[in-house]
Amino acid sequence: MIKFIEAIFQNFSTWGLPVLVLLLGVVEFSLGLYKRKWNKNERILDIVCFTIPKLVVRPLVAYFGLKFLPVLLPGFKAAFEWVPFWWGFFIICIADDLTQYWYHRLHHEVPFLWRFHRTHHSAPYMGMAMASRQNIIYTIFFSQTYLTTALVYIGLGYPALFVKSIKSIITTLAHSSIPWDKPFYEKKWLNPIAWVLERLISTPATHHAHHADSNDDGIGHYKGNFGNMFFVWDVIFGTGLITRKYPESYGIQHYQEEEWYAQFMWPIFKSRKEGSELSHNGPMVHEDPTTPVAAATATISEPISAKTSLELT
């Protein structure tokens, strides 16, 4: 049984995740959950963002990382093999996801960084297609890209494999347009589980709120809900909002459907759309149309508030 579980996680880190994304994507399309918003430009962007990091970025980082680390840390190869699996699993879960929480949050707080993360939020839909949608620079500096390679080198590759697989499942399902968490809210006997679940990990309801194009309805919360695998960071740092509801619309209100290559490779390639955040000499951030004019001097189109109280439901 243990060998079978190991095989699942080993395969998940290679071809398992693409298969899961493909199967769920087929279900989403069959149910019409993209609402005809997946045009040619969006399709190319989503496919490129899904394939290039897996086929180019991560293999290159792993190859050169394992060549460079013995020179940088000659005495640390397999140095932590003695660490028990569950201790390694716990430590990596915390270190990896907490780092990603702040990496993600800073890209909403710092105007200069916003345009590197904007690609992920430009999609006017939620689903498997856009789950990996990121600017290439954001991906290259993504902490997990290097952490996994370093952990393999120091002897913690086995627990890192399990963390990566579980995290991929949680974050993929949180982006899905299939509201798998809804039964936990609707069935009273499941409510206690829902209360724990939605505060522990990212769910469609909490993460969809982060991708909403407005905060006006009391459901959208692109100013918070930054957690990737664990939502508990939003609870701890006061950036969480739990409503158990789903936004009516997603994306960026001032989205100009910039060319896929500009969204994927800005600032190497820039958009030809005049006034776009990704165009030559374009604004660093757009004024948020949902805020008063006085807020125009706010840092980043108001994609974050420093603290937001958690609505306990």
Side-chain angles (χ1 to χ4, degrees):
M1 183 64 180
I2 294 177
K3 292 292 184 182
F4 177 71
I5 295 174
E6 289 177 0
I8 291 176
F9 280 91
Q10 288 170 352
N11 290 328
F12 193 85
S13 66
T14 54
W15 54 262
L17 179 59
V19 170
L20 174 63
V21 170
L22 178 62
L23 291 176
L24 290 176
V26 169
V27 173
E28 290 175 337
F29 276 106
S30 300
L31 297 175
L33 297 178
Y34 285 82
K35 299 177 181 179
R36 299 181 181 178
K37 295 178 179 178
W38 209 44
N39 60 36
K40 182 179 179 181
N41 188 66
E42 305 300 326
R43 287 198 302 272
I44 295 175
L45 176 60
D46 289 341
I47 292 171
V48 167
C49 289
F50 181 79
T51 57
I52 296 301
K54 292 175 177 58
L55 297 179
V56 179
V57 178
R58 292 174 189 171
L60 285 177
V61 169
Y63 177 79
F64 287 106
L66 292 176
K67 292 285 186 181
F68 179 70
L69 284 170
V71 177
L72 181 66
L73 303 170
F76 283 85
K77 184 176 182 180
F80 291 90
E81 278 187 328
W82 59 271
V83 176
F85 172 83
W86 287 112
W87 272 110
F89 180 86
F90 176 76
I91 293 170
I92 294 169
C93 273
I94 301 301
D96 173 75
D97 206 57
L98 181 57
T99 302
Q100 190 175 348
Y101 167 88
W102 282 105
Y103 183 73
H104 183 191
R105 180 172 173 174
L106 286 173
H107 278 76
H108 281 262
E109 288 186 319
V110 180
F112 172 75
L113 295 178
W114 164 242
R115 287 179 290 186
F116 295 108
H117 182 53
R118 178 186 186 276
T119 301
H120 188 58
H121 282 268
S122 66
Y125 46 84
M126 292 296 291
M128 296 299 98
M130 55 73 61
S132 300
R133 179 176 173 139
Q134 293 285 7
N135 175 282
I136 190 64
I137 305 299
Y138 185 95
T139 301
I140 288 174
F141 287 96
F142 191 55
S143 60
Q144 191 182 42
T145 304
Y146 305 92
L147 181 63
T148 302
T149 301
L151 290 170
V152 169
Y153 174 71
I154 66 175
L156 292 175
Y158 191 57
L161 172 69
F162 277 72
V163 171
K164 181 181 178 182
S165 299
I166 292 173
K167 182 172 185 174
S168 296
I169 293 172
I170 292 173
T171 55
T172 298
L173 292 178
H175 283 88
S176 175
S177 57
I178 301 172
W180 61 262
D181 53 340
K182 204 169 185 179
F184 290 92
Y185 313 140
E186 295 178 339
K187 298 184 185 300
K188 193 171 183 179
W189 64 276
L190 289 175
N191 284 176
I193 298 177
W195 194 95
V196 174
L197 190 69
E198 64 195 357
R199 285 160 178 77
L200 178 62
I201 65 172
S202 290
T203 63
T206 55
H207 198 67
H208 281 215
H210 176 68
H211 281 266
D213 65 356
S214 173
N215 286 342
D216 291 349
D217 58 2
I219 299 173
H221 191 50
Y222 59 81
K223 299 178 181 180
N225 290 17
F226 301 114
N228 292 279
M229 175 165 62
F230 293 128
F231 188 79
V232 70
W233 308 128
D234 288 287
V235 177
I236 293 172
F237 297 113
T239 55
L241 178 66
I242 298 174
T243 66
R244 298 184 178 180
K245 298 178 181 178
Y246 309 88
E248 290 293 328
S249 55
Y250 302 97
I252 301 172
Q253 290 192 352
H254 53 264
Y255 183 43
Q256 297 178 242
E257 296 190 13
E258 289 87 357
E259 304 86 348
W260 68 267
Y261 54 82
Q263 295 197 62
F264 181 60
M265 298 194 69
W266 185 91
I268 300 172
F269 295 116
K270 294 182 172 62
S271 174
R272 297 179 181 178
K273 301 293 179 72
E274 187 177 350
S276 167
E277 293 169 336
L278 305 182
S279 64
H280 182 66
N281 292 328
M284 188 172 293
V285 293
H286 270 283
E287 177 187 346
D288 184 353
T290 64
T291 57
V293 176
T297 56
T299 53
I300 177 178
S301 163
E302 288 291 324
I304 183 174
S305 61
K307 294 285 180 181
T308 304
S309 60
L310 181 69
E311 179 183 326
L312 300 180
T313 57

